[in-house]
């Protein structure tokens, strides 16, 4: 079963309304990137927790020089994230679109 044009238009409107903003993701990345907050915003909780743990343990263990390696790793990861944010936002949009499409198909088949 396929969706009508009207259903597809409604889904795309909801995707636009519910999707995360690239600009907001970059702003959060710029201000709180080392804490992984941009990952939490984009629904990537696991990697957000990993970045937060690297930050915390990096600063705690900095006096014994282990923290330097953790913080350098975190800095590289956050820098790479700057290039990955558009893909993360697009991935989130696709998740929202899939969920809405499957819901619409279920509703139209009943």
């Amino acid at each position: 079963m396929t969706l009508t044009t009207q259903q597809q238009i409604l889904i795309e409107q909801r995707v636009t309304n519910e999707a995360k903003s690239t600009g907001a993701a970059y702003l959060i990345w710029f201000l709180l990137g080392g804490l992984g907050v941009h990952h939490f915003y984009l629904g990537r909780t696991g990697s957000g927790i990993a970045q937060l743990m690297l930050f915390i343990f990096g600063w705690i263990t900095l006096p014994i020089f282990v923290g330097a390696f953790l913080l350098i790793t975190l800095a590289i990861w956050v820098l790479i994230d700057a290039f990955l944010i558009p893909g993360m936002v697009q991935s989130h949009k696709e998740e929202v679109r899939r969920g809405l499409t499957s819901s619409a198909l279920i509703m139209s088949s009943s």
Side-chain angles (χ1 to χ4, degrees), residues 23-98:
Y26 272 115
L27 182 63
I28 295 168
W29 169 84
F30 183 74
L31 297 174
L32 301 168
L35 297 172
V37 177
H38 58 291
H39 282 275
F40 290 109
Y41 171 71
L42 293 170
R44 297 172 176 263
T45 308
S47 55
I49 290 172
Q51 285 188 343
L52 184 59
M53 291 294 109
L54 277 174
F55 181 83
I56 291 170
F57 291 125
W59 282 105
I60 289 173
T61 59
L62 191 60
I64 58 173
F65 301 108
V66 173
F69 295 110
L70 297 176
L71 292 174
I72 289 170
T73 302
L74 176 62
I76 293 169
W77 188 358
V78 170
L79 182 63
I80 291 170
D81 277 349
F83 299 99
L84 298 179
I85 285 176
M88 290 182 209
V89 170
Q90 188 61 35
S91 174
H92 182 266
K93 284 183 182 180
E94 289 301 320
E95 285 178 32
V96 170
R97 185 175 289 114
R98 272 194 306 273

